[in-house]
Amino acid sequence: MSIAHGRFAVPAFSASSHRCPFRLRHGRFLTAVAKQTAKATLCPPEDGAQISSPSSTSFSFPARHSLSSNQKDQISLYVRTLLQWNQRMNLTAVTEEREVMSRHVEDSLAILQPLWRSYLSHCCSSSPCDGLNVVDVGSGAGLPGLILAIACPNWKVTLLESMKKRCLFLEHIVDLIGLSNVQILCERAENVGQSIDYRELFDVAVARAVAEMRTLAEYCLPLVRVGGLFIAAKGSDPQEEVKSAGKAIQLMGASILELCTVDSHSPKGQRTTVICLKDRPTPRRFPRHPGIPTKSPL
């Protein structure tokens, strides 16, 4: 299924395919036949990674060093293109290439290790995280979803973004880099979460710099399958925000697994990854109609 102007069409990713079924171009979705991506395993923790108990995880993950030279080139091309487009539309407040790399790209890559570890521990007991179906909710300029798609070409990554101009940028950069494992949905999360084609489809939902946790839980968890993960990238001290979101997370059928502290080069330094496990279906009444989760958080 693709989404254009709030109407649903074209079937979504099949479970056995890594192909991108459509692309967004000037507000219309077109069917596309993409090349099969080369299979690659998710980067495991590298030497030097330090992991403590799940309740207070702290680690250092040299994310960029685990990428191939081709993946690093793809990320560099993304950063340069982002800054070029940023001169015409507001995609990021950061205007220096080095800052984008440290504050946005490394922040996005830092999600990989806790995602990998939590998924293997709670969602998949045997095989590595190959072929994950991931949705980036409120993707914006493609952070973190597009970076994850580059780092893990065997994943199927859906970039969910409601603003058309941002979707045009995402479509451009996906074509420019040549990513065949990405699809773009130009629609609100509340509508996608109520679609039979997408509801409880994804193994993992990720979100970065989108909304507070109460609202974010209602956006993301209806999209996650039972047994999957919801991962939110938050600031250095989200404990109160997470605590206030406990009811919303529980209503969506999930529970909080852990809060992981992640070293970051952002102005506020350390960041936190909040990991939730979905253990039962989300009630049909959620998500509520567009705009309500923001105006009246649970």
Side-chain angles (χ1 to χ4, degrees):
M1 175 194 72
S2 70
I3 306 174
H5 307 297
R7 293 158 57 183
F8 298 94
V10 191
F13 282 128
S14 68
S16 61
S17 173
H18 292 180
R19 299 177 187 270
C20 176
F22 63 86
R23 292 173 183 160
L24 170 71
R25 191 177 301 279
H26 306 301
R28 300 192 305 273
F29 288 91
L30 304 177
T31 302
V33 178
K35 294 182 179 180
Q36 182 80 10
T37 55
K39 187 149 186 172
T41 58
L42 171 63
C43 312
E46 293 199 354
D47 292 339
Q50 298 176 352
I51 303 176
S52 61
S53 63
S55 60
S56 59
T57 305
S58 178
F59 56 84
S60 176
F61 184 44
R64 273 196 288 167
H65 299 293
S66 67
L67 302 176
S68 69
S69 58
N70 181 60
Q71 287 169 321
K72 290 178 181 178
D73 289 343
Q74 288 177 318
I75 287 177
S76 294
L77 178 58
Y78 164 78
V79 171
R80 292 195 302 271
T81 307
L82 171 65
L83 292 175
Q84 289 171 0
W85 277 61
N86 200 51
Q87 296 174 13
R88 305 196 302 271
M89 64 175 68
N90 183 25
L91 294 169
T92 175
V94 180
T95 58
E96 297 294 332
E97 187 170 332
R98 183 175 296 181
E99 270 196 286
V100 174
M101 195 69 74
S102 63
R103 290 175 57 177
H104 290 328
V105 173
E106 289 190 6
D107 254 18
S108 298
L109 289 170
I111 293 173
L112 281 175
Q113 190 185 48
L115 188 162
W116 177 84
R117 179 170 44 81
S118 295
Y119 195 85
L120 285 183
S121 298
H122 299 278
C123 310
C124 174
S125 59
S126 56
S127 61
C129 302
D130 285 343
L132 287 190
N133 197 359
V134 178
V135 59
D136 177 17
V137 177
S139 189
L143 300 163
L146 195 140
I147 302 301
L148 299 184
I150 292 173
C152 304
N154 58 311
W155 288 7
K156 296 172 287 186
V157 178
T158 296
L159 307 179
L160 176 55
E161 171 56 47
S162 63
M163 293 187 64
K164 292 179 185 178
K165 65 178 183 179
R166 291 176 182 169
C167 290
L168 289 173
F169 166 75
L170 293 174
E171 193 270 346
H172 172 77
I173 194 64
V174 165
D175 281 348
L176 185 65
I177 294 175
L179 297 175
S180 58
N181 62 331
V182 175
Q183 66 173 347
I184 300 160
L185 296 185
C186 188
E187 181 55 279
R188 295 186 65 116
E190 300 98 321
N191 292 334
V192 179
Q194 286 292 352
S195 164
I196 191 172
D197 292 303
Y198 279 101
R199 187 177 178 86
E200 300 192 331
L201 172 72
F202 298 94
D203 299 308
V204 180
V206 297
R208 177 180 181 268
V210 176
E212 66 158 297
M213 281 295 298
R214 290 182 297 170
T215 302
L216 208 53
E218 191 169 355
Y219 286 165
C220 295
L221 280 165
L223 298 170
V224 178
R225 67 170 176 83
V226 174
L229 297 177
F230 160 43
I231 298 181
K234 285 293 178 179
S236 58
D237 187 23
Q239 282 79 6
E240 285 302 315
E241 180 185 344
V242 173
K243 183 179 178 180
S244 69
K247 176 185 175 183
I249 292 169
Q250 195 170 41
L251 278 172
M252 295 304 120
S255 56
I256 299 171
L257 278 180
E258 59 180 307
L259 276 64
C260 306
T261 55
V262 181
D263 288 334
S264 171
H265 296 284
S266 68
K268 295 185 178 180
Q270 208 170 58
R271 290 182 61 83
T272 306
T273 300
V274 183
I275 304 176
C276 300
L277 175 66
K278 185 165 180 178
D279 45 34
R280 59 194 184 282
T282 300
R284 283 300 311 181
R285 67 183 183 275
F286 300 118
R288 292 168 291 170
H289 292 299
I292 295 180
T294 301
K295 293 177 182 177
S296 302
L298 294 167

